[in-house]
mmCIF file of all heavy atoms in Angstrom:
data_model
loop_
_atom_site.group_PDB
_atom_site.id
_atom_site.type_symbol
_atom_site.label_atom_id
_atom_site.label_comp_id
_atom_site.label_asym_id
_atom_site.label_seq_id
_atom_site.Cartn_x
_atom_site.Cartn_y
_atom_site.Cartn_z
ATOM 1 N N GLU E 156 86.000 101.022 62.069
ATOM 2 C CA GLU E 156 87.322 101.595 62.268
ATOM 3 C C GLU E 156 87.207 102.628 63.380
ATOM 4 O O GLU E 156 86.301 103.467 63.362
ATOM 5 C CB GLU E 156 87.837 102.249 60.982
ATOM 6 C CG GLU E 156 88.143 101.240 59.888
ATOM 7 C CD GLU E 156 88.544 101.887 58.569
ATOM 8 O OE1 GLU E 156 87.879 102.859 58.162
ATOM 9 O OE2 GLU E 156 89.513 101.418 57.954
ATOM 10 N N THR E 157 88.100 102.539 64.352
ATOM 11 C CA THR E 157 88.025 103.458 65.473
ATOM 12 C C THR E 157 89.420 103.675 66.034
ATOM 13 O O THR E 157 90.290 102.793 65.928
ATOM 14 C CB THR E 157 87.077 102.927 66.572
ATOM 15 O OG1 THR E 157 86.924 103.922 67.588
ATOM 16 C CG2 THR E 157 87.591 101.647 67.201
ATOM 17 N N LEU E 158 89.643 104.842 66.612
ATOM 18 C CA LEU E 158 90.918 105.138 67.252
ATOM 19 C C LEU E 158 90.699 105.191 68.754
ATOM 20 O O LEU E 158 89.987 106.047 69.276
ATOM 21 C CB LEU E 158 91.470 106.473 66.749
ATOM 22 C CG LEU E 158 92.834 106.886 67.316
ATOM 23 C CD1 LEU E 158 93.901 105.844 66.988
ATOM 24 C CD2 LEU E 158 93.250 108.250 66.779
ATOM 25 N N PHE E 159 91.301 104.210 69.447
ATOM 26 C CA PHE E 159 91.224 104.147 70.903
ATOM 27 C C PHE E 159 92.404 104.897 71.518
ATOM 28 O O PHE E 159 93.545 104.719 71.082
ATOM 29 C CB PHE E 159 91.341 102.694 71.391
ATOM 30 C CG PHE E 159 90.153 101.820 71.134
ATOM 31 C CD1 PHE E 159 90.223 100.810 70.176
ATOM 32 C CD2 PHE E 159 88.989 101.958 71.868
ATOM 33 C CE1 PHE E 159 89.142 99.962 69.959
ATOM 34 C CE2 PHE E 159 87.901 101.123 71.661
ATOM 35 C CZ PHE E 159 87.982 100.123 70.702
ATOM 36 N N THR E 160 92.133 105.694 72.537
ATOM 37 C CA THR E 160 93.201 106.192 73.388
ATOM 38 C C THR E 160 92.809 105.936 74.838
ATOM 39 O O THR E 160 91.626 106.008 75.187
ATOM 40 C CB THR E 160 93.506 107.680 73.137
ATOM 41 O OG1 THR E 160 94.746 108.033 73.767
ATOM 42 C CG2 THR E 160 92.406 108.595 73.650
ATOM 43 N N LEU E 161 93.788 105.577 75.663
ATOM 44 C CA LEU E 161 93.529 105.222 77.055
ATOM 45 C C LEU E 161 93.851 106.401 77.963
ATOM 46 O O LEU E 161 94.797 107.142 77.721
ATOM 47 C CB LEU E 161 94.359 104.001 77.462
ATOM 48 C CG LEU E 161 94.179 102.752 76.589
ATOM 49 C CD1 LEU E 161 94.970 101.587 77.177
ATOM 50 C CD2 LEU E 161 92.716 102.373 76.453
ATOM 51 N N LEU E 162 93.056 106.548 79.010
ATOM 52 C CA LEU E 162 93.195 107.672 79.929
ATOM 53 C C LEU E 162 93.905 107.259 81.218
ATOM 54 O O LEU E 162 94.063 106.072 81.498
ATOM 55 C CB LEU E 162 91.817 108.255 80.244
ATOM 56 C CG LEU E 162 90.999 108.748 79.048
ATOM 57 C CD1 LEU E 162 89.681 109.353 79.516
ATOM 58 C CD2 LEU E 162 91.780 109.752 78.204
ATOM 59 N N GLU E 163 94.290 108.246 82.000
ATOM 60 C CA GLU E 163 94.987 108.018 83.270
ATOM 61 C C GLU E 163 93.996 107.931 84.434
ATOM 62 O O GLU E 163 94.372 108.158 85.588
ATOM 63 C CB GLU E 163 95.980 109.152 83.534
ATOM 64 C CG GLU E 163 97.110 109.224 82.543
ATOM 65 C CD GLU E 163 98.224 108.224 82.864
ATOM 66 O OE1 GLU E 163 98.028 107.017 82.582
ATOM 67 O OE2 GLU E 163 99.261 108.638 83.396
ATOM 68 N N TYR E 164 92.765 107.603 84.138
ATOM 69 C CA TYR E 164 91.687 107.579 85.132
ATOM 70 C C TYR E 164 90.851 106.340 84.887
ATOM 71 O O TYR E 164 90.624 105.950 83.733
ATOM 72 C CB TYR E 164 90.831 108.839 84.963
ATOM 73 C CG TYR E 164 89.652 108.955 85.900
ATOM 74 C CD1 TYR E 164 89.797 109.526 87.164
ATOM 75 C CD2 TYR E 164 88.390 108.512 85.517
ATOM 76 C CE1 TYR E 164 88.709 109.652 88.022
ATOM 77 C CE2 TYR E 164 87.295 108.627 86.370
ATOM 78 C CZ TYR E 164 87.459 109.202 87.614
ATOM 79 O OH TYR E 164 86.393 109.326 88.464
ATOM 80 N N GLY E 165 90.381 105.701 85.960
ATOM 81 C CA GLY E 165 89.566 104.520 85.741
ATOM 82 C C GLY E 165 89.086 103.880 87.032
ATOM 83 O O GLY E 165 89.188 104.449 88.121
ATOM 84 N N ASP E 166 88.536 102.683 86.894
ATOM 85 C CA ASP E 166 88.130 101.882 88.043
ATOM 86 C C ASP E 166 89.374 101.369 88.760
ATOM 87 O O ASP E 166 90.471 101.343 88.189
ATOM 88 C CB ASP E 166 87.282 100.684 87.595
ATOM 89 C CG ASP E 166 85.953 101.093 86.986
ATOM 90 O OD1 ASP E 166 85.501 102.228 87.231
ATOM 91 O OD2 ASP E 166 85.369 100.273 86.247
ATOM 92 N N GLN E 167 89.188 100.928 89.994
ATOM 93 C CA GLN E 167 90.299 100.345 90.745
ATOM 94 C C GLN E 167 89.940 98.917 91.142
ATOM 95 O O GLN E 167 88.859 98.671 91.680
ATOM 96 C CB GLN E 167 90.604 101.174 91.991
ATOM 97 C CG GLN E 167 91.865 100.725 92.721
ATOM 98 C CD GLN E 167 92.205 101.624 93.894
ATOM 99 O OE1 GLN E 167 91.606 101.518 94.955
ATOM 100 N NE2 GLN E 167 93.158 102.520 93.706
ATOM 101 N N LEU E 168 90.850 97.990 90.864
ATOM 102 C CA LEU E 168 90.651 96.584 91.223
ATOM 103 C C LEU E 168 91.786 96.127 92.129
ATOM 104 O O LEU E 168 92.958 96.341 91.811
ATOM 105 C CB LEU E 168 90.603 95.692 89.988
ATOM 106 C CG LEU E 168 89.355 95.828 89.105
ATOM 107 C CD1 LEU E 168 89.620 96.807 87.982
ATOM 108 C CD2 LEU E 168 88.959 94.484 88.518
ATOM 109 N N THR E 169 91.407 95.517 93.239
ATOM 110 C CA THR E 169 92.389 94.952 94.162
ATOM 111 C C THR E 169 92.242 93.433 94.148
ATOM 112 O O THR E 169 91.134 92.903 94.312
ATOM 113 C CB THR E 169 92.188 95.501 95.586
ATOM 114 O OG1 THR E 169 92.400 96.920 95.559
ATOM 115 C CG2 THR E 169 93.168 94.869 96.559
ATOM 116 N N PHE E 170 93.359 92.744 93.949
ATOM 117 C CA PHE E 170 93.396 91.287 93.837
ATOM 118 C C PHE E 170 94.080 90.717 95.081
ATOM 119 O O PHE E 170 95.267 90.981 95.323
ATOM 120 C CB PHE E 170 94.145 90.872 92.571
ATOM 121 C CG PHE E 170 93.534 91.425 91.312
ATOM 122 C CD1 PHE E 170 93.882 92.688 90.855
ATOM 123 C CD2 PHE E 170 92.593 90.699 90.593
ATOM 124 C CE1 PHE E 170 93.318 93.217 89.695
ATOM 125 C CE2 PHE E 170 92.022 91.211 89.439
ATOM 126 C CZ PHE E 170 92.376 92.479 88.994
ATOM 127 N N ILE E 171 93.329 89.950 95.852
ATOM 128 C CA ILE E 171 93.814 89.398 97.112
ATOM 129 C C ILE E 171 93.878 87.871 96.977
ATOM 130 O O ILE E 171 92.842 87.220 96.814
ATOM 131 C CB ILE E 171 92.874 89.781 98.274
ATOM 132 C CG1 ILE E 171 92.699 91.308 98.327
ATOM 133 C CG2 ILE E 171 93.388 89.237 99.594
ATOM 134 C CD1 ILE E 171 91.508 91.767 99.138
ATOM 135 N N PRO E 172 95.076 87.281 97.016
ATOM 136 C CA PRO E 172 95.177 85.824 96.883
ATOM 137 C C PRO E 172 94.456 85.105 98.025
ATOM 138 O O PRO E 172 94.477 85.551 99.175
ATOM 139 C CB PRO E 172 96.697 85.584 96.955
ATOM 140 C CG PRO E 172 97.310 86.880 96.552
ATOM 141 C CD PRO E 172 96.389 87.938 97.072
ATOM 142 N N LEU E 173 93.791 83.995 97.677
ATOM 143 C CA LEU E 173 93.106 83.154 98.653
ATOM 144 C C LEU E 173 93.711 81.756 98.625
ATOM 145 O O LEU E 173 94.121 81.268 97.568
ATOM 146 C CB LEU E 173 91.610 83.051 98.317
ATOM 147 C CG LEU E 173 90.785 84.340 98.334
ATOM 148 C CD1 LEU E 173 89.356 84.033 97.878
ATOM 149 C CD2 LEU E 173 90.771 84.965 99.725
ATOM 150 N N GLU E 174 93.749 81.119 99.777
ATOM 151 C CA GLU E 174 94.297 79.757 99.838
ATOM 152 C C GLU E 174 93.430 78.770 99.065
ATOM 153 O O GLU E 174 93.927 77.883 98.376
ATOM 154 C CB GLU E 174 94.436 79.307 101.292
ATOM 155 C CG GLU E 174 95.568 80.000 102.041
ATOM 156 C CD GLU E 174 95.763 79.416 103.431
ATOM 157 O OE1 GLU E 174 95.128 78.376 103.728
ATOM 158 O OE2 GLU E 174 96.552 79.993 104.194
ATOM 159 N N GLN E 175 92.102 78.924 99.158
ATOM 160 C CA GLN E 175 91.204 78.008 98.462
ATOM 161 C C GLN E 175 91.008 78.461 97.014
ATOM 162 O O GLN E 175 91.082 79.635 96.704
ATOM 163 C CB GLN E 175 89.852 77.916 99.187
ATOM 164 C CG GLN E 175 89.048 79.217 99.206
ATOM 165 C CD GLN E 175 89.380 80.114 100.384
ATOM 166 O OE1 GLN E 175 90.493 80.067 100.892
ATOM 167 N NE2 GLN E 175 88.421 80.933 100.796
ATOM 168 N N ASP E 176 90.768 77.508 96.139
ATOM 169 C CA ASP E 176 90.648 77.786 94.702
ATOM 170 C C ASP E 176 89.238 78.297 94.380
ATOM 171 O O ASP E 176 88.417 77.593 93.785
ATOM 172 C CB ASP E 176 90.958 76.523 93.900
ATOM 173 C CG ASP E 176 90.929 76.783 92.393
ATOM 174 O OD1 ASP E 176 90.949 77.960 91.991
ATOM 175 O OD2 ASP E 176 90.866 75.806 91.621
ATOM 176 N N THR E 177 88.964 79.538 94.783
ATOM 177 C CA THR E 177 87.671 80.149 94.503
ATOM 178 C C THR E 177 87.893 81.546 93.922
ATOM 179 O O THR E 177 88.973 82.124 94.060
ATOM 180 C CB THR E 177 86.815 80.278 95.782
ATOM 181 O OG1 THR E 177 87.541 81.047 96.750
ATOM 182 C CG2 THR E 177 86.481 78.916 96.358
ATOM 183 N N ILE E 178 86.852 82.068 93.287
ATOM 184 C CA ILE E 178 86.877 83.430 92.743
ATOM 185 C C ILE E 178 85.754 84.206 93.417
ATOM 186 O O ILE E 178 84.580 83.857 93.283
ATOM 187 C CB ILE E 178 86.667 83.440 91.213
ATOM 188 C CG1 ILE E 178 87.776 82.645 90.505
ATOM 189 C CG2 ILE E 178 86.620 84.878 90.686
ATOM 190 C CD1 ILE E 178 87.489 82.379 89.032
ATOM 191 N N GLU E 179 86.117 85.223 94.165
ATOM 192 C CA GLU E 179 85.128 86.075 94.840
ATOM 193 C C GLU E 179 85.203 87.481 94.263
ATOM 194 O O GLU E 179 86.297 88.003 94.034
ATOM 195 C CB GLU E 179 85.406 86.138 96.349
ATOM 196 C CG GLU E 179 85.350 84.800 97.066
ATOM 197 C CD GLU E 179 85.683 84.948 98.547
ATOM 198 O OE1 GLU E 179 85.782 86.098 99.027
ATOM 199 O OE2 GLU E 179 85.864 83.912 99.214
ATOM 200 N N ILE E 180 84.041 88.084 94.035
ATOM 201 C CA ILE E 180 83.969 89.459 93.540
ATOM 202 C C ILE E 180 83.222 90.298 94.568
ATOM 203 O O ILE E 180 82.089 89.959 94.945
ATOM 204 C CB ILE E 180 83.250 89.559 92.177
ATOM 205 C CG1 ILE E 180 83.752 88.480 91.192
ATOM 206 C CG2 ILE E 180 83.419 90.954 91.591
ATOM 207 C CD1 ILE E 180 85.157 88.636 90.737
ATOM 208 N N HIS E 181 83.832 91.388 95.021
ATOM 209 C CA HIS E 181 83.234 92.260 96.022
ATOM 210 C C HIS E 181 83.286 93.710 95.541
ATOM 211 O O HIS E 181 83.937 94.037 94.547
ATOM 212 C CB HIS E 181 83.986 92.123 97.355
ATOM 213 C CG HIS E 181 83.923 90.765 97.958
ATOM 214 N ND1 HIS E 181 82.933 90.382 98.826
ATOM 215 C CD2 HIS E 181 84.736 89.683 97.800
ATOM 216 C CE1 HIS E 181 83.136 89.123 99.193
ATOM 217 N NE2 HIS E 181 84.227 88.682 98.580
ATOM 218 N N GLY E 182 82.590 94.571 96.260
ATOM 219 C CA GLY E 182 82.649 96.001 95.951
ATOM 220 C C GLY E 182 81.473 96.472 95.130
ATOM 221 O O GLY E 182 80.339 96.024 95.326
ATOM 222 N N ASP E 183 81.734 97.359 94.191
ATOM 223 C CA ASP E 183 80.678 98.016 93.410
ATOM 224 C C ASP E 183 80.245 97.142 92.239
ATOM 225 O O ASP E 183 80.533 97.436 91.065
ATOM 226 C CB ASP E 183 81.180 99.380 92.900
ATOM 227 C CG ASP E 183 81.597 100.293 94.036
ATOM 228 O OD1 ASP E 183 80.996 100.208 95.120
ATOM 229 O OD2 ASP E 183 82.530 101.105 93.828
ATOM 230 N N VAL E 184 79.546 96.065 92.557
ATOM 231 C CA VAL E 184 79.165 95.093 91.522
ATOM 232 C C VAL E 184 77.697 95.207 91.135
ATOM 233 O O VAL E 184 77.189 94.399 90.346
ATOM 234 C CB VAL E 184 79.480 93.657 91.976
ATOM 235 C CG1 VAL E 184 80.978 93.465 92.110
ATOM 236 C CG2 VAL E 184 78.779 93.332 93.296
ATOM 237 N N ALA E 185 77.010 96.232 91.673
ATOM 238 C CA ALA E 185 75.582 96.455 91.364
ATOM 239 C C ALA E 185 74.816 95.164 91.621
ATOM 240 O O ALA E 185 75.101 94.426 92.552
ATOM 241 C CB ALA E 185 75.415 96.952 89.933
ATOM 242 N N ASP E 186 73.844 94.859 90.771
ATOM 243 C CA ASP E 186 73.054 93.637 90.970
ATOM 244 C C ASP E 186 73.293 92.646 89.834
ATOM 245 O O ASP E 186 72.438 91.840 89.495
ATOM 246 C CB ASP E 186 71.560 93.986 91.059
ATOM 247 C CG ASP E 186 71.070 94.782 89.865
ATOM 248 O OD1 ASP E 186 71.906 95.148 89.004
ATOM 249 O OD2 ASP E 186 69.849 95.058 89.779
ATOM 250 N N ILE E 187 74.502 92.708 89.244
ATOM 251 C CA ILE E 187 74.831 91.808 88.139
ATOM 252 C C ILE E 187 75.095 90.404 88.693
ATOM 253 O O ILE E 187 75.919 90.243 89.604
ATOM 254 C CB ILE E 187 76.077 92.317 87.384
ATOM 255 C CG1 ILE E 187 75.817 93.717 86.813
ATOM 256 C CG2 ILE E 187 76.477 91.356 86.269
ATOM 257 C CD1 ILE E 187 77.043 94.378 86.247
ATOM 258 N N PRO E 188 74.416 89.382 88.166
ATOM 259 C CA PRO E 188 74.690 88.011 88.619
ATOM 260 C C PRO E 188 76.158 87.654 88.399
ATOM 261 O O PRO E 188 76.771 88.088 87.409
ATOM 262 C CB PRO E 188 73.772 87.156 87.739
ATOM 263 C CG PRO E 188 72.700 88.088 87.271
ATOM 264 C CD PRO E 188 73.341 89.431 87.155
ATOM 265 N N LEU E 189 76.723 86.863 89.305
ATOM 266 C CA LEU E 189 78.146 86.541 89.249
ATOM 267 C C LEU E 189 78.561 85.974 87.900
ATOM 268 O O LEU E 189 79.588 86.373 87.331
ATOM 269 C CB LEU E 189 78.499 85.551 90.364
ATOM 270 C CG LEU E 189 79.994 85.226 90.514
ATOM 271 C CD1 LEU E 189 80.779 86.457 90.902
ATOM 272 C CD2 LEU E 189 80.196 84.096 91.520
ATOM 273 N N GLN E 190 77.775 85.071 87.360
ATOM 274 C CA GLN E 190 78.145 84.423 86.107
ATOM 275 C C GLN E 190 78.133 85.399 84.924
ATOM 276 O O GLN E 190 78.733 85.109 83.879
ATOM 277 C CB GLN E 190 77.194 83.241 85.806
ATOM 278 C CG GLN E 190 77.200 82.152 86.871
ATOM 279 C CD GLN E 190 78.555 81.464 87.017
ATOM 280 O OE1 GLN E 190 79.280 81.289 86.054
ATOM 281 N NE2 GLN E 190 78.896 81.089 88.239
ATOM 282 N N ASP E 191 77.459 86.534 85.066
ATOM 283 C CA ASP E 191 77.416 87.540 84.000
ATOM 284 C C ASP E 191 78.433 88.654 84.219
ATOM 285 O O ASP E 191 78.612 89.505 83.339
ATOM 286 C CB ASP E 191 76.006 88.167 83.917
ATOM 287 C CG ASP E 191 74.950 87.161 83.518
ATOM 288 O OD1 ASP E 191 75.306 86.169 82.840
ATOM 289 O OD2 ASP E 191 73.770 87.347 83.892
ATOM 290 N N ASN E 192 79.079 88.647 85.376
ATOM 291 C CA ASN E 192 80.048 89.694 85.692
ATOM 292 C C ASN E 192 81.312 89.487 84.853
ATOM 293 O O ASN E 192 81.932 88.425 84.873
ATOM 294 C CB ASN E 192 80.372 89.623 87.189
ATOM 295 C CG ASN E 192 81.268 90.753 87.645
ATOM 296 O OD1 ASN E 192 82.373 90.916 87.151
ATOM 297 N ND2 ASN E 192 80.790 91.533 88.601
ATOM 298 N N LEU E 193 81.714 90.525 84.102
ATOM 299 C CA LEU E 193 82.870 90.388 83.205
ATOM 300 C C LEU E 193 84.163 90.114 83.961
ATOM 301 O O LEU E 193 85.060 89.441 83.441
ATOM 302 C CB LEU E 193 83.021 91.645 82.348
ATOM 303 C CG LEU E 193 82.243 91.685 81.031
ATOM 304 C CD1 LEU E 193 82.431 93.032 80.346
ATOM 305 C CD2 LEU E 193 82.691 90.559 80.100
ATOM 306 N N ILE E 194 84.267 90.629 85.171
ATOM 307 C CA ILE E 194 85.465 90.365 85.975
ATOM 308 C C ILE E 194 85.537 88.875 86.322
ATOM 309 O O ILE E 194 86.585 88.235 86.172
ATOM 310 C CB ILE E 194 85.453 91.226 87.255
ATOM 311 C CG1 ILE E 194 85.526 92.711 86.890
ATOM 312 C CG2 ILE E 194 86.589 90.837 88.193
ATOM 313 C CD1 ILE E 194 85.309 93.632 88.069
ATOM 314 N N PHE E 195 84.410 88.317 86.766
ATOM 315 C CA PHE E 195 84.367 86.885 87.077
ATOM 316 C C PHE E 195 84.646 86.054 85.825
ATOM 317 O O PHE E 195 85.423 85.087 85.865
ATOM 318 C CB PHE E 195 83.012 86.501 87.652
ATOM 319 C CG PHE E 195 82.874 85.019 87.884
ATOM 320 C CD1 PHE E 195 83.365 84.443 89.047
ATOM 321 C CD2 PHE E 195 82.275 84.204 86.932
ATOM 322 C CE1 PHE E 195 83.268 83.073 89.259
ATOM 323 C CE2 PHE E 195 82.165 82.839 87.138
ATOM 324 C CZ PHE E 195 82.667 82.268 88.301
ATOM 325 N N ARG E 196 84.026 86.437 84.703
ATOM 326 C CA ARG E 196 84.201 85.665 83.468
ATOM 327 C C ARG E 196 85.659 85.690 83.008
ATOM 328 O O ARG E 196 86.184 84.689 82.504
ATOM 329 C CB ARG E 196 83.278 86.191 82.379
ATOM 330 C CG ARG E 196 81.795 85.896 82.635
ATOM 331 C CD ARG E 196 80.913 86.562 81.590
ATOM 332 N NE ARG E 196 81.288 86.151 80.246
ATOM 333 C CZ ARG E 196 80.978 86.852 79.154
ATOM 334 N NH1 ARG E 196 80.305 87.990 79.254
ATOM 335 N NH2 ARG E 196 81.359 86.416 77.966
ATOM 336 N N ALA E 197 86.323 86.836 83.187
ATOM 337 C CA ALA E 197 87.743 86.923 82.822
ATOM 338 C C ALA E 197 88.588 86.017 83.707
ATOM 339 O O ALA E 197 89.461 85.279 83.227
ATOM 340 C CB ALA E 197 88.210 88.371 82.931
ATOM 341 N N ALA E 198 88.328 86.073 85.012
ATOM 342 C CA ALA E 198 89.075 85.219 85.942
ATOM 343 C C ALA E 198 88.830 83.745 85.634
ATOM 344 O O ALA E 198 89.769 82.930 85.605
ATOM 345 C CB ALA E 198 88.678 85.552 87.374
ATOM 346 N N ASP E 199 87.577 83.390 85.400
ATOM 347 C CA ASP E 199 87.212 82.001 85.131
ATOM 348 C C ASP E 199 87.866 81.500 83.838
ATOM 349 O O ASP E 199 88.248 80.330 83.744
ATOM 350 C CB ASP E 199 85.687 81.884 85.051
ATOM 351 C CG ASP E 199 85.204 80.453 85.150
ATOM 352 O OD1 ASP E 199 85.677 79.728 86.054
ATOM 353 O OD2 ASP E 199 84.374 80.046 84.322
ATOM 354 N N ALA E 200 88.015 82.400 82.849
ATOM 355 C CA ALA E 200 88.626 82.016 81.577
ATOM 356 C C ALA E 200 90.106 81.666 81.729
ATOM 357 O O ALA E 200 90.664 80.931 80.907
ATOM 358 C CB ALA E 200 88.462 83.142 80.560
ATOM 359 N N LEU E 201 90.751 82.180 82.782
ATOM 360 C CA LEU E 201 92.172 81.885 83.013
ATOM 361 C C LEU E 201 92.394 80.630 83.844
ATOM 362 O O LEU E 201 93.532 80.143 83.945
ATOM 363 C CB LEU E 201 92.845 83.074 83.707
ATOM 364 C CG LEU E 201 93.241 84.263 82.839
ATOM 365 C CD1 LEU E 201 94.080 85.239 83.627
ATOM 366 C CD2 LEU E 201 93.996 83.829 81.582
ATOM 367 N N ARG E 202 91.346 80.103 84.431
ATOM 368 C CA ARG E 202 91.504 78.935 85.321
ATOM 369 C C ARG E 202 92.237 77.761 84.662
ATOM 370 O O ARG E 202 93.087 77.130 85.306
ATOM 371 C CB ARG E 202 90.132 78.485 85.816
ATOM 372 C CG ARG E 202 89.780 79.069 87.175
ATOM 373 C CD ARG E 202 88.467 78.530 87.659
ATOM 374 N NE ARG E 202 88.315 78.713 89.100
ATOM 375 C CZ ARG E 202 87.140 78.790 89.709
ATOM 376 N NH1 ARG E 202 86.033 78.698 89.010
ATOM 377 N NH2 ARG E 202 87.075 78.949 91.015
#
């Protein structure tokens, strides 16, 4: 049991449409492999 509250501060994500059906992740992604990146996995889950 936990009480979540959301803050007015966080990461920033910019989504740029591409003509080709691909998912690209750029920016502060450290050395996380693409397939393990939660942003990529979320996008891929909506395909």
Side-chain angles (χ1 to χ4, degrees):
E156 292 175 315
T157 186
L158 182 59
F159 288 109
T160 193
L161 304 185
L162 302 182
E163 295 279 76
Y164 179 87
D166 295 340
Q167 188 176 78
L168 289 95
T169 298
F170 301 86
I171 305 163
L173 298 176
E174 288 186 9
Q175 65 272 28
D176 183 15
T177 58
I178 300 169
E179 299 178 9
I180 314 292
H181 297 270
D183 301 328
V184 294
D186 55 355
I187 300 171
L189 186 64
Q190 300 297 326
D191 296 334
N192 186 301
L193 272 176
I194 296 171
F195 175 84
R196 290 174 56 201
D199 196 47
L201 280 189
R202 265 184 161 155

